[in-house]
Structures are given as structure tokens and as C-alpha cells.
């Protein structure tokens, strides 16, 4: 398996596999969500992915230059991809920062997000970490702990891609395999939780009427 194949294999699994995809399946009728998912995947996802990969491999330039070589009017498509990638990078780096935060806090003898009856308390995330407010106003002060974890996540990402394929290819040995290992472990853990059978039954019993709310 080449380094490129390992990197692409790692891209196939991410944060969305852990929380976004299960949430969408639960919201839109369980297994019924797979109907629009596979339609869009084969109609848009795979062709667009193949197109971008082929253009990038052929011209080996930045996104705006690659699209401008194909057609000068397509230069804006490359710019829009850069803007979208920037916002996604900020968003996913913040999720990675939360992972670092929870990882460091897990070394405490008593977990701050766990109540006395061993149930996860969501208020810790909303009030202590995110510090959500009722309005769009900014909080009075910056959460130094979260900001430090966010800076750490950006440093880690920079070190992974600083030398291009030389470093990202080596990182792919871990990033392409660990997500699948973690998913298998989470699946095994979930199967032994209370209500696991009801959840599987809900997923395998699609509610097609929920697709009307997409």
C-alpha cells in the first residue's frame, strides 16, 4: 500500500464517523438515512473526489491554479475550496483541542464530567468548557485551558504536514489504522451497554417518513 493510499484510507474515517453520522441516522429515521446517503455518495461524493484527485495528481499545483489550467473561469472554484478548507480546519482543530482537553482531564482521580451516579454530565461541556451564553455576545474572558489545547492541536497538525508527504506519509501509519481500531473498540463497548439491542433494532428498522424532513 502506497503512502497516498494510506493517507486516503485515514481520511475515510474521522470525527464524523463517531458523532455526526450516528446523530444523523438517529434524527432521520435510522437506516432510512442510508438511502440519501448512498445516493449522494455515488452521484456527487465519489465523482467529485475522483475529479479533485485526478486534477491534483495531473497538475500538482494549488487548487486555484489546477482549476485555472482546466478552465480560466474555474479559478474561483479553487478559491472557494481554500476558503472552505480554512473554516473546516479551524472547526476540526477545535474538536481536536477538546480531545486533548478531555485526555488531560482523564488523569484526574475524579472525572469532572461524571456525576455521583457515574452518569456523564453534559453541563460540564456546555458551562465549563464551551461557556455557552444565551446570546451571541462573547464571554467576558478567554478560557485559557481550551485556548492552550487549541494551540497545541494546531502545533501537532503543523508538525504532521510541515514537510509534506515526508511527514504525513509516516503519520499515516498511525492515522490510517488507529481510527478503525478505535471504532471497533467503541462498537464492542456499545454492544454491552444497556439498550444496545433497542438501538440496533431502531437502526435496522428504517422510518422512511423521516426522510421528508431532510
Amino acid at each position: 500500500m502506497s503512502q497516498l493510499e494510506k493517507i486516503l484510507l485515514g481520511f475515510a474515517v474521522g470525527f464524523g464517523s463517531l458523532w455526526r453520522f450516528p446523530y444523523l441516522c438517529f434524527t432521520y429515521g435510522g437506516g432510512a438515512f442510508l438511502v440519501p446517503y448512498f445516493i449522494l455518495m455515488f452521484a456527487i461524493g465519489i465523482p467529485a473526489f475522483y475529479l479533485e484527485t485526478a486534477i491534483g495528481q495531473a497538475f500538482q499545483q494549488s487548487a486555484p491554479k489546477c482549476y485555472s489550467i482546466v478552465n480560466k473561469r474555474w479559478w474561483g472554484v479553487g478559491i472557494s475550496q481554500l476558503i472552505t478548507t480554512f473554516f473546516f480546519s479551524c472547526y476540526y482543530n477545535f474538536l481536536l483541542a477538546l480531545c486533548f482537553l478531555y485526555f488531560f482531564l482523564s488523569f484526574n482521580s475524579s472525572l469532572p464530567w461524571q456525576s455521583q451516579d457515574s452518569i456523564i454530565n453534559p453541563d460540564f461541556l456546555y458551562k465549563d468548557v464551551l461557556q455557552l451564553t444565551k446570546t451571541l455576545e462573547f464571554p467576558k474572558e478567554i478560557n485559557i485551558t481550551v485556548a492552550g489545547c487549541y494551540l497545541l492541536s494546531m502545533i501537532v497538525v503543523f508538525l504532521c504536514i510541515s514537510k509534506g508527504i515526508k511527514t504525513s506519509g509516516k503519520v499515516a501509519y498511525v492515522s490510517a489504522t488507529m481510527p478503525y481500531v478505535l471504532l471497533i473498540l467503541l462498537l464492542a463497548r456499545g454492544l454491552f451497554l444497556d439498550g444496545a439491542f433497542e438501538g440496533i433494532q431502531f437502526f435496522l428498522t428504517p422510518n422512511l417518513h423521516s426522510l421528508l424532513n431532510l
Side-chain angles (χ1 to χ4, degrees):
M1 183 182 294
S2 64
Q3 291 183 341
L4 177 61
E5 291 174 336
K6 293 175 182 177
I7 294 174
L8 295 179
L9 185 62
F11 275 123
V13 176
F15 287 114
S17 303
L18 297 175
W19 64 277
R20 184 61 179 172
F21 185 78
Y23 167 77
L24 291 175
C25 288
F26 175 78
T27 305
Y28 298 108
F33 178 75
L34 297 178
V35 176
Y37 174 80
F38 281 111
I39 292 176
L40 294 177
M41 183 179 68
F42 286 103
I44 299 177
I46 294 178
F49 172 77
Y50 179 78
L51 173 64
E52 294 178 359
T53 305
I55 292 177
Q57 287 291 307
F59 303 119
Q60 298 184 3
Q61 299 287 334
S62 62
K65 290 184 178 180
C66 287
Y67 281 102
S68 62
I69 293 174
V70 177
N71 191 314
K72 293 183 179 180
R73 297 180 179 179
W74 289 11
W75 178 79
V77 177
I79 294 296
S80 64
Q81 286 188 343
L82 291 179
I83 296 175
T84 303
T85 302
F86 170 77
F87 285 110
F88 266 100
S89 298
C90 296
Y91 172 66
Y92 272 89
N93 274 337
F94 180 73
L95 293 180
L96 184 60
L98 294 182
C99 294
F100 279 123
L101 176 63
Y102 274 79
F103 174 74
F104 295 143
L105 293 177
S106 65
F107 289 97
N108 294 329
S109 57
S110 59
L111 300 179
W113 58 82
Q114 195 172 37
S115 58
Q116 296 180 354
D117 51 359
S118 300
I119 298 178
I120 296 178
N121 185 9
D123 291 336
F124 172 75
L125 173 63
Y126 297 134
K127 295 182 179 180
D128 298 335
V129 178
L130 300 180
Q131 297 182 359
L132 296 181
T133 58
K134 296 181 180 180
T135 62
L136 295 178
E137 298 177 357
F138 290 97
K140 296 181 180 179
E141 58 184 11
I142 298 177
N143 192 327
I144 302 299
T145 304
V146 177
C149 292
Y150 187 73
L151 178 61
L152 176 61
S153 67
M154 291 191 292
I155 294 175
V156 171
V157 172
F158 173 77
L159 294 176
C160 292
I161 64 176
S162 59
K163 295 183 179 180
I165 195 66
K166 293 181 180 179
T167 54
S168 59
K170 295 179 181 179
V171 174
Y173 285 102
V174 178
S175 62
T177 56
M178 282 301 297
Y180 293 94
V181 175
L182 293 176
L183 283 178
I184 294 174
L185 293 177
L186 290 174
L187 175 63
R189 169 60 178 162
L191 292 176
F192 290 96
L193 294 176
D194 296 335
F197 177 76
E198 288 78 2
I200 296 175
Q201 186 178 16
F202 174 81
F203 180 76
L204 296 178
T205 307
N207 183 9
L208 298 179
H209 294 287
S210 299
L211 297 179
L212 298 176
N213 298 324
L214 289 174

